[in-house]
Amino acid sequence: KQEVTQIPAALSVPEGENLVLNCSFTDSAIYNLQWFRQDPGKGLTSLLLIQSSQREQTSGRLNASLDKSSGRSTLYIAASQPGDSATYLCAVYNDMRFGAGTRLTVKP
Amino acid sequence: DGGITQSPKYLFRKEGQNVTLSCEQNLNHDAMYWYRQDPGQGLRLIYYSQIVNDFQKGDIAEGYSVSREKKESFPLTVTSAQKNPTAFYLCASSPLDTEAFFGQGTRLTVV
């Protein structure tokens, strides 16, 4: 069974910092990996999808990388803002299993 | 508008009752999923379906049942056998192992 781990579990940073969230998985035979954002009490919003043939994807201040051979993905957030405060989750496909998430707080 | 609709948003259940959570999608996606989320926790997979009339158990299927009679609908029944059903339930759909889209969730509370 695929196991997905996210480190750190929680992170608090001052506004403007660049930061990195980590996602690791045990079975490298994945199709795709997707990063989501979840605000309290809400559903999940897709941030970035990395297909298995890709190594990274970028959207605005977000950059996600994928290294299948080592079973790792990172989400890089540049110039963090208070509006980035949320829980960030990664999901790996074949059967869409999630990590427990990283709860990010960006302080003004 | 295309998307996934979960209803109701809030649901209260008495102990010993079965309740059914609705999930409908108009995205023409083949795959649909149900997850449970407990406070401060990640998402745990309950059931998933990749085609109509077929579904597979996830990691925590005990006490739950599903059906997939139509491509656009994947209802989840929380049975009385589920000992601790209070949680946030999320439904998702995907065009088979690619990008997934989520509903806004149903919060179930046992009273």
Side-chain angles (χ1 to χ4, degrees), chain A residues 1 31-32 34 36 38 40-46 48-49 51 89 93-101 103, chain B residues 9 33 35 37 40-43 45 48 50 57-59 88 90 92 94 97-100 102-105 107:
Chain A
K1 185 185 102 174
Y31 295 147
N32 304 314
Q34 191 169 1
F36 294 87
Q38 185 179 30
K42 303 294 186 182
L44 275 65
T45 301
S46 177
L48 290 165
L49 172 74
Q51 297 182 347
L89 298 131
Y93 299 75
N94 309 336
D95 50 14
M96 218 164 80
R97 282 189 161 76
F98 281 79
R103 188 171 67 254
Chain B
K9 187 173 181 179
Y33 307 81
Y35 293 89
Q37 187 176 37
Q41 305 294 315
L43 277 67
L45 183 63
Y48 64 102
Q50 295 186 323
K57 294 181 179 179
D59 299 324
F88 189 49
L90 286 159
S94 166
D97 296 324
T98 59
E99 188 172 11
F102 278 80
Q104 287 303 301
R107 188 167 301 280

Side-chain angles (χ1 to χ4, degrees), chain B:
Chain B
D1 287 331
I4 300 176
T5 302
Q6 289 188 243
S7 61
K9 187 173 181 179
Y10 299 97
L11 186 57
F12 298 89
R13 188 194 96 170
K14 293 182 179 180
E15 294 213 19
Q17 283 184 338
N18 293 353
V19 290
T20 298
L21 284 60
S22 171
C23 180
E24 303 276 335
Q25 54 102 357
N26 59 6
L27 300 168
N28 200 34
H29 288 168
D30 289 302
M32 296 187 75
Y33 307 81
W34 273 106
Y35 293 89
R36 169 181 173 140
Q37 187 176 37
D38 293 286
Q41 305 294 315
L43 277 67
R44 291 186 289 169
L45 183 63
I46 304 173
Y47 270 98
Y48 64 102
S49 168
Q50 295 186 323
I51 57 172
V52 175
N53 293 322
D54 188 47
F55 46 83
Q56 286 76 42
K57 294 181 179 179
D59 299 324
I60 56 165
E62 184 175 355
Y64 300 96
S65 66
V66 293
S67 63
R68 188 83 186 278
E69 297 177 0
K70 300 184 295 182
K71 188 175 185 178
E72 59 269 25
S73 179
F74 192 40
L76 173 74
T77 297
V78 184
T79 75
S80 57
Q82 170 50 238
K83 297 306 179 187
N84 185 22
T86 295
F88 189 49
Y89 291 87
L90 286 159
C91 177
S93 72
S94 166
L96 279 182
D97 296 324
T98 59
E99 188 172 11
F101 298 84
F102 278 80
Q104 287 303 301
T106 293
R107 188 167 301 280
L108 173 64
T109 303
V110 174
V111 296

